[in-house]
Amino acid sequence: VAATLGTETGTYSTLKAAFDKINDGTHKGEITVILSGTTIETATAVLNDSLSSGADYTSVNIYPNASGISVTGNLSAPLIDLNGADNVTIDGRVNATGSSKDLTVSNTNNSTTNGTSTIRFINDACSNSVKYCNLKGSSLSFAIPDAGGLLYFSTGITAGNSNNTIDHNNITNAVNRPKYAILSCGTAGAVNSGNTISNNNIYDVLYLSGNSSCIYFYNYNSAWTISGNSFYETAFVPTGTHAYKVIEIEASTGDNITGNYIGGSSELCGGTWTKPGTYANTFFGILDNAQTYAGLTNIQGNTISHFNWTNMSSFFKSISVSNGNFNIGTVTGNIIGAATGLDAIQCTSYTNGETFYGIDIAWTSGTVDCQKNTIGSVTVGNFSSSLSTNFCGINNGAGGTITISNNLIGSGTTANSINTTSASIANTQNVWGILSSCSGTNLISGNTIANLKNAATGSGGQIIGITASSGANTITNNTIRDLTIANNKLSSDYLSSILGICNQSTTAAHTISGNTIYNLSNTHASFGGNVIGLYYQGSTTASTVSGNFIHSLSVSETSTSATIYGIKIYNGATTW
C-alpha cells in the first residue's frame, strides 16, 4: 500500500488487511494498493467510506503488478464490500496499463445466504470503477430484495449506489452458476442511479436449475447504461422448465440499453447459443418492465442472434417492453436475427401453439417509438407435423401512443427469410409481420414486410403482413410483399389464409393509404379460400382508405374455388 498522507507505505498478506489499515486511518490521501501475489480471503474485505471511523482518503486505486494474480475466497458473504466507499478503482491490468485482463476476483461460495457476492456496492458506494478483471461468482441467494449476485448493487442511504462503472471485464461463474450475474436492489429515497455496465463479456452465468437473469434490476433504479456487452453461452443445458432472461428490468426508468450482443457461444454473437430440447424453457433477450412513466428508456443498436433454441415454452421474446416510455431503435435499429441469409435464429417446439416474438410491446399507457429495427433470418418449427409454432415480428398490445415505422421484417433479398416450417396439419399456425391490438393511437408507417413463409398445409392458420384489431390506426406507406402459405382454408372463412393489411378496429377513425402490397400467394393445390390484399372493417366514424397499390395476388392453377380480392370491405364509413 502506498499513500500520500499518514503512513505512506505498508505490506499486507490479504486485501482485507490492507483495507482494515485504510479504514483505521493508517494510510490516507491518495492511496494505491498493488497486488503482488494471489490472496485467499477468509473474511470479507470491507472498505468503508472516507471520514468514517478514521478513514480519510480521496481515492483508492487497486491493480496487480504481474499477470495471473487472484483475489479469491469461499465466503457466504461479499468477498469485497464497498461500504459507502467512493472513488475506488479495481483495475485488472498489470500496472493499470494495456488492455489485458490479468486479475481474477472470485468468490466460489454458492450459498443462498443473503448478500453472498463477489463485489457488493452498499450504503451509497459511488463513483467506483471495476475494469479489465476476470470476475467470478456462484451466489444462489434469491430472496429479493436482500439477495446477492456476482456483482450486487444493494441498498443505499441517501445517494444510492450510483455513478459506478463496470467495464471491459469477463464476468462468469466460479464453480457453480449464480442466480444473478448483476443484481440491483435499491432503496426508496436512495435510488441506484447513473451506473454503467459496458464492454463486458458476460457468459455461462445463467443458473441451469432455476429461473435466472444475467442482469436484474429489481427496484429503485434509474438512468443506467448497459452498452457494448456480449452475453453468450458456451454450454447451456437446463435441468428443468425454467425462464431465462438476459437483461431484466423490473423497475427502472431513463435507462440506455445500447449496442449489446445477445446470443452465440462467443463474444459479438460468434458461434451459436444452443439449447437442447430436454425441457421447455421461456426466453427473453431484453425484458424491460419499467413500472414508471417518469423518464424515457432507449433500446438502441442491440443484436440478438445466433440461437438454436429447442423446445421453447410459451414463447421466445427477443425484446419485450411494458409500463413505461420507450424508444426502440429510433436512432440505431436493433437487429434480431439478420437482414440476409437463413437460420440466424432457430426455435423448435415439441408442444402446440408456441410463439416467437421479435419485438413485444406489451401493456403501457405511455409512448413507444419503434423504428429502424430489423427482424429476419428466423426459422421456427415443430417436431410434430400436426402441431403449430407461430411467428410475430412486432406485437403491439399496448394502450398508449405507439409508433411502428421504418422497420424491416423479413428480408429485402432472401426468400423465406421468416419461415414457420411445420405443416401444422391439425392445428392453427399463424405468421404476423405486425400484430396490433393496441387500444390507443397507432402509427404504422414505412415498414417493409417481405419474404415471409407459413408452411402450414392444414385448414387453419394465416399469414398477414399488418393486422390491427383495436385503437385508432394510421397505416401508411408500408411495403408488404412475397408472403406465401400452402394451407387449405375454406371460403366460409371471410378472412381466409393470406392478407396484406387487415384492419378490424371498429373504434375511432383510421387512415390506410399509400401502401404497396404484392406477391401474396397460396400454393395449396386445392385451396378454396380467399387471398386478400387489403381487408377493411371499421366504425361509423369517417375514415380514409386511398392510394394503395395492390397487385400480383395468386393461387395455384389447380385451385378451382379460390377467390382473390384486391380490397375486401366488410363495414364502416370510409372514403375510398
Side-chain angles (χ1 to χ4, degrees):
V1 176
T4 57
L5 297 173
T7 302
E8 293 185 356
T9 62
T11 302
Y12 307 96
S13 60
T14 65
L15 187 62
K16 170 180 167 47
F19 280 2
D20 287 347
K21 287 301 181 178
I22 297 172
N23 290 334
D24 70 13
T26 299
H27 306 293
K28 299 180 180 181
E30 297 179 9
I31 299 173
T32 301
V33 178
I34 300 174
L35 303 170
S36 59
T38 290
T39 73
I40 298 176
E41 307 293 327
T42 58
T44 299
V46 179
L47 182 61
N48 295 326
D49 63 312
S50 184
L51 304 180
S52 170
S53 302
D56 186 3
Y57 60 86
T58 55
S59 65
V60 178
N61 294 300
I62 305 165
Y63 58 83
N65 64 1
S67 62
I69 289 176
S70 299
V71 177
T72 65
N74 185 355
L75 307 178
S76 55
L79 178 70
I80 297 174
D81 205 20
L82 300 182
N83 180 29
D86 298 339
N87 302 314
V88 177
T89 298
I90 302 175
D91 190 332
R93 301 172 296 172
V94 173
N95 297 322
T97 61
S99 58
S100 297
K101 302 175 180 69
D102 296 299
L103 173 66
T104 296
V105 183
S106 176
N107 187 354
T108 61
N109 192 279
N110 65 345
S111 171
T112 59
T113 301
N114 292 344
T116 301
S117 54
T118 302
I119 301 175
R120 182 173 70 172
F121 302 79
I122 193 169
N123 294 331
D124 297 353
C126 296
S127 301
N128 304 294
S129 177
V130 181
K131 58 185 179 180
Y132 293 98
C133 294
N134 299 301
L135 304 174
K136 299 182 178 182
S138 298
S139 172
L140 294 181
S141 177
F142 59 89
I144 299 292
D146 299 318
L150 198 160
L151 297 174
Y152 180 26
F153 294 80
S154 186
T155 53
I157 302 172
T158 57
N161 303 291
S162 301
N163 301 315
N164 301 287
T165 299
I166 311 297
D167 182 64
H168 278 99
N169 302 284
N170 291 326
I171 301 173
T172 189
N173 68 82
V175 176
N176 300 288
R177 289 164 174 259
K179 182 78 171 176
Y180 309 108
I182 300 172
L183 173 66
S184 180
C185 300
T187 307
V191 173
N192 294 341
S193 178
N195 298 297
T196 297
I197 302 169
S198 57
N199 305 309
N200 303 286
N201 294 325
I202 303 174
Y203 63 97
D204 294 347
V205 293
L206 288 172
Y207 182 51
L208 298 176
S209 299
N211 299 338
S212 183
S213 304
C214 294
I215 295 177
Y216 183 31
F217 297 167
Y218 175 67
N219 58 4
Y220 303 115
N221 299 280
S222 71
W224 285 66
T225 295
I226 304 173
S227 68
N229 304 286
S230 290
F231 301 86
Y232 57 92
E233 287 284 339
T234 64
F236 189 71
V237 185
T239 61
T241 302
H242 313 303
Y244 295 104
K245 303 161 188 177
V246 175
I247 299 174
E248 181 181 8
I249 313 297
E250 181 65 25
S252 188
T253 188
D255 301 317
N256 290 293
I257 305 172
T258 62
N260 300 286
Y261 293 85
I262 299 174
S265 56
S266 62
E267 59 187 291
L268 305 179
C269 289
T272 302
W273 179 332
T274 301
K275 188 201 86 68
T278 307
Y279 295 98
N281 301 103
T282 299
F283 176 84
F284 292 87
I286 299 172
L287 173 61
D288 198 323
N289 182 20
Q291 294 191 358
T292 176
Y293 300 93
L296 176 66
T297 292
N298 282 284
I299 302 174
Q300 308 277 348
N302 302 285
T303 298
I304 302 174
S305 190
H306 291 196
F307 282 90
N308 188 346
W309 194 274
T310 304
N311 199 12
M312 62 180 179
S313 173
S314 299
F315 47 74
F316 183 111
K317 292 187 176 182
S318 303
I319 298 174
S320 182
V321 300
S322 61
N323 293 313
N325 302 311
F326 299 92
N327 282 344
I328 305 173
T330 53
V331 177
T332 304
N334 302 283
I335 299 173
I336 297 169
T340 60
L342 300 172
D343 301 333
I345 297 178
Q346 300 176 69
C347 288
T348 310
S349 183
Y350 283 99
T351 54
N352 184 60
E354 315 297 5
T355 301
F356 175 97
Y357 294 91
I359 296 174
D360 175 40
I361 305 169
W363 172 255
T364 179
S365 59
T367 299
V368 178
D369 196 348
C370 177
Q371 296 194 48
K372 302 180 181 179
N373 303 288
T374 296
I375 304 166
S377 189
V378 178
T379 299
V380 298
N382 203 292
F383 283 98
S384 171
S385 62
S386 67
L387 303 180
S388 68
T389 306
N390 307 309
F391 171 89
C392 180
I394 299 176
N395 178 54
N396 174 22
T401 301
I402 312 300
T403 298
I404 301 173
S405 296
N406 304 310
N407 301 284
L408 171 62
I409 301 173
S411 173
T413 57
T414 302
N416 304 328
S417 170
I418 304 298
N419 192 2
T420 58
T421 60
S422 175
S424 189
I425 297 169
N427 288 279
T428 297
Q429 180 167 281
N430 294 307
V431 173
W432 303 284
I434 297 173
L435 172 62
S436 178
S437 58
C438 175
S439 59
T441 301
N442 306 300
L443 172 62
I444 303 173
S445 67
N447 302 285
T448 297
I449 301 169
N451 288 300
L452 279 60
K453 179 181 179 180
N454 186 343
T457 60
S459 60
Q462 296 174 310
I463 183 168
I464 307 177
I466 298 172
T467 180
S469 61
S470 186
N473 300 302
T474 299
I475 304 173
T476 59
N477 301 316
N478 301 282
T479 298
I480 301 167
R481 63 177 178 86
D482 298 298
L483 311 185
T484 62
I485 193 170
N487 68 348
N488 190 24
K489 270 203 163 186
L490 303 176
S491 59
S492 58
D493 185 334
Y494 63 95
L495 287 180
S496 201
S497 69
I498 183 166
L499 302 96
I501 294 176
C502 177
N503 182 85
Q504 289 183 282
S505 174
T506 58
T507 61
H510 312 293
T511 298
I512 303 175
S513 64
N515 301 287
T516 301
I517 302 168
Y518 63 98
N519 288 353
L520 310 187
S521 176
N522 186 300
T523 60
H524 194 284
S526 56
F527 175 60
N530 304 321
V531 174
I532 304 173
L534 192 159
Y535 177 89
Y536 184 84
Q537 178 181 1
S539 70
T540 56
T541 303
S543 299
T544 300
V545 179
S546 66
N548 301 288
F549 184 28
I550 303 168
H551 64 92
S552 304
L553 314 182
S554 66
V555 297
S556 170
E557 292 182 358
T558 59
S559 298
T560 58
S561 57
T563 305
I564 295 174
Y565 295 92
I567 296 175
K568 185 173 183 179
I569 306 163
Y570 186 76
N571 63 12
T574 308
T575 300
W576 298 85

